Amino acid sequence: MAKVDKRRRNARPSKYKPRSPAQLARKRELWAARSSDRERAKRTDEEAALLDRLEALETALREAGQDGIHKQRHVTPLEDIEDDAKRFHVLKARVERLEALWSINKRRRETRGKIIIGGALLAEAGDAHFAGDDELLARLVDILDRRVERVRDRLTVRELLGNVPLPLRPGGDLDEDVESALHAAGERLPDFDLMAETALADQTEDLVPSDLDPDDADLDPEWRVA
């Protein structure tokens, strides 16, 4: 194979004709069109995913006893919004609102479940105690002693269970008073003056989401409950 002089090869004129300004403009237009098509396809995929999520959230909320966003009278149906960008923005906002509602609902159900479980255990331990069997109560106290750390929480539990032998802090003495237990545990007594001032300040009318945006009126009931 013959050796090619790179300097001579690079000096040879190009066989491709230079593009005219019209051709360059056309090329830019094609690139812009392709970029627009890619963005449109991406937006379509995102919108489809949001629609699926919206439907799933509405179904979950209905099954939990709450109406979906489409039940609100002031809401414009998505299919009636002709502008693509506006429809996508509205869809995303509705999904975010339903996500917030579902999160509130989930926390409420979890709290209710914990209350139900705790109430059932307390009732069972109480029935067993009156029947002369304190084994379940002793196991419950042992679990609480290992799981509950705050002095105030342990005091509440002890009083609720009828002053069971539960020290006010892990490893503490049964006869230790509240103030000593708080000091030993590094906890402070609440500032009662500050609590009173805060309670008085909170007596003003609460701000709800619809005061900021009428489209968020569907969040008002959940906001008041939360």
Side-chain angles (χ1 to χ4, degrees), residues 171-184:
D173 190 82
L174 286 174
D175 297 328
E176 189 175 31
D177 59 80
V178 177
E179 188 173 352
S180 300
L182 287 170
H183 180 73

Side-chain angles (χ1 to χ4, degrees), residues 150-201:
R150 297 186 62 212
V151 173
R152 296 183 186 86
D153 294 339
R154 294 169 74 94
L155 176 62
T156 300
V157 167
R158 189 169 73 177
E159 292 175 346
L160 179 64
L161 295 178
N163 292 320
V164 293
L166 177 69
L168 292 177
R169 60 186 177 90
D173 190 82
L174 286 174
D175 297 328
E176 189 175 31
D177 59 80
V178 177
E179 188 173 352
S180 300
L182 287 170
H183 180 73
E187 300 180 24
R188 295 183 300 175
L189 288 171
D191 189 338
F192 295 105
D193 292 335
L194 179 60
M195 291 172 62
E197 294 176 3
T198 303
L200 290 174

Side-chain angles (χ1 to χ4, degrees), residues 50-105:
L50 287 172
L51 285 171
D52 291 341
R53 183 56 180 165
L54 181 67
E55 182 180 359
L57 286 168
E58 287 180 336
T59 301
L61 286 169
R62 281 196 300 270
E63 291 177 351
Q66 298 183 15
D67 288 334
I69 193 77
H70 63 290
K71 292 292 185 180
Q72 302 297 327
R73 293 182 178 179
H74 67 278
V75 172
T76 303
L78 290 172
E79 56 270 17
D80 292 347
I81 303 176
E82 297 181 357
D83 184 81
D84 292 341
K86 182 179 180 180
R87 183 176 62 253
F88 180 82
H89 176 74
V90 170
L91 173 60
K92 187 176 181 181
R94 292 180 183 177
V95 170
E96 290 174 352
R97 287 201 294 270
L98 286 192
E99 290 282 9
L101 280 174
W102 178 244
S103 178
I104 293 172
N105 183 276

Side-chain angles (χ1 to χ4, degrees), residues 101 207-214 216-226:
L101 280 174
L207 187 69
V208 294
S210 61
D211 293 333
L212 303 178
D213 188 346
D216 291 333
D218 56 295
L219 291 177
D220 287 354
E222 300 298 334
W223 192 273
R224 292 190 179 96
V225 172

